Amino acid sequence: MIDIHCHILPGVDDGAKNENVSLAMAKQAVSEGITQIVATPHHRNRHWDNPRYSVLKKVNDLNHLFVQHQINLTVLPGQETRIFGEMADSSVEEELVTVNDNGKYILIEFPSQHVPRYAKQLFYDLQVKGITPIIVHPERNQEIFEHPEILYSFITDGALSQVTAASLIGKNGKKVKKRTFQFIENNLTHLVASDAHNVTERPFYIQKALIVLKKEFGSEVLQLFKENSALLVNGDLVQREEPSEIKDRKFWGIF
Ligand code: FE
């Protein structure tokens, strides 16, 4: 299994505090069957900035550390970029890290409460440049949670989305779990990842999430999600089924 969203780089954001935590996270990842992991530090998120040159160097250092400690886990470069208006401008290309630095996909985080109105045009502009935006944990965004048709619109416009393992197993509450299930049922999401920050409060939960995926949606869906992570890091086309709108539009109001 390839984990495409994880805060395993030491000392760069609210993820691993230091190398010891990174090592502990790596061991947990391996124990859950993860062989490759995309390091996705926050960028442009409040006070965290992790531009490309810095991510590439730190990924390199972490791979050396894992070799030294005989940990069989490969770290690939990535970034969780907080959406900003100039994201598609050529002036910021140097600071962004696409998934595995292959120029095809980028993880994008919305503010937790809402979706900026410029996102639609920005996603279009990114796709014109050949970069497909991946909306991370849409189930944890208040506006999308309350109005899932917003996600439907992004997906039909060509974006992808990634749900979090913790949401699938109910760690973010029953209602978020239900929404996450609905996103899967309606082909509104294509990837599952850990978004792990440490080994205690926000661990991987990947094995548990895969068990839930198989139990609720069958081994074909499980396989699809696993394959999509591999396609993503290879820069190949991710598999998508025709999306549909979620029927229940009732206001849930959990936030
Ligand atoms: Fe994250």
Side-chain angles (χ1 to χ4, degrees):
M1 175 76 186
I2 301 173
D3 188 9
I4 61 125
H5 181 168
C6 180
H7 298 264
I8 197 168
L9 287 189
V12 299
D13 60 8
D14 57 341
K17 273 200 183 74
N18 51 46
E19 288 187 349
N20 284 339
V21 178
S22 299
L23 284 166
M25 287 176 76
K27 285 174 190 161
Q28 192 176 72
V30 170
S31 78
E32 299 214 11
I34 296 165
T35 53
Q36 291 178 287
I37 197 158
V38 185
T40 54
H42 288 293
H43 182 58
R44 293 225 183 201
N45 176 323
R46 283 175 276 174
H47 45 269
W48 298 304
D49 272 322
N50 285 285
R52 182 171 174 274
Y53 73 90
S54 161
V55 172
L56 295 184
K57 182 184 180 306
K58 283 166 180 162
V59 164
N60 204 24
D61 293 347
L62 197 56
N63 275 317
H64 282 300
L65 186 74
F66 291 169
V67 170
Q68 274 172 21
H69 286 260
Q70 299 178 328
I71 296 173
N72 216 353
L73 180 70
T74 306
V75 188
L76 307 171
Q79 190 180 61
E80 179 177 7
T81 317
R82 173 63 71 100
I83 194 166
F84 63 101
E86 300 77 33
M87 236 185 119
D89 294 2
S90 52
S91 59
V92 300
E93 270 169 19
E94 270 304 294
E95 70 178 80
L96 304 180
V97 194
T98 53
V99 175
N100 199 15
D101 203 30
N102 59 28
K104 302 280 195 214
Y105 298 99
I106 192 158
L107 300 193
I108 298 182
E109 178 194 41
F110 289 140
S112 57
Q113 308 286 313
H114 75 287
V115 176
R117 291 297 163 258
Y118 61 79
K120 191 178 169 75
Q121 179 65 42
L122 176 65
F123 282 14
Y124 177 82
D125 295 341
L126 284 169
Q127 289 179 83
V128 167
K129 297 177 72 160
I131 301 172
T132 300
I134 302 171
I135 301 164
V136 301
H137 40 68
E139 77 280 9
R140 301 183 60 206
N141 175 276
Q142 185 182 344
E143 195 175 346
I144 292 180
F145 181 88
E146 289 168 2
H147 303 279
E149 65 273 17
I150 297 172
L151 182 62
Y152 174 79
S153 166
F154 283 127
I155 302 305
T156 52
D157 284 351
L160 295 168
S161 86
Q162 168 253 308
V163 291
T164 300
S167 299
L168 256 179
I169 65 167
K171 294 286 177 185
N172 294 318
K174 274 187 190 163
K175 290 179 175 179
V176 168
K177 180 178 173 179
K178 189 171 177 192
R179 267 289 184 248
T180 307
F181 280 17
Q182 288 174 319
F183 290 165
I184 297 171
E185 280 157 16
N186 291 275
N187 300 321
L188 295 170
T189 193
H190 317 84
L191 298 142
V192 62
S194 75
D195 196 11
H197 282 62
N198 48 54
V199 290
T200 49
E201 291 85 22
R202 296 182 71 179
F204 284 86
Y205 294 133
I206 282 287
Q207 270 315 312
K208 284 183 176 155
L210 296 182
I211 290 166
V212 168
L213 256 187
K214 187 174 177 183
K215 182 166 166 268
E216 299 289 332
F217 305 99
S219 45
E220 267 182 39
V221 170
L222 171 71
Q223 207 50 36
L224 184 92
F225 274 70
K226 281 184 169 180
E227 285 171 11
N228 276 349
S229 296
L231 292 164
L232 196 74
V233 301
N234 290 332
D236 293 329
L237 275 187
V238 166
Q239 309 165 90
R240 353 163 151 236
E241 305 285 331
E242 189 65 36
S244 51
E245 285 203 72
I246 293 173
K247 299 264 166 41
D248 171 23
R249 297 266 191 89
K250 197 171 67 185
F251 179 77
W252 293 25
I254 62 145
F255 290 94

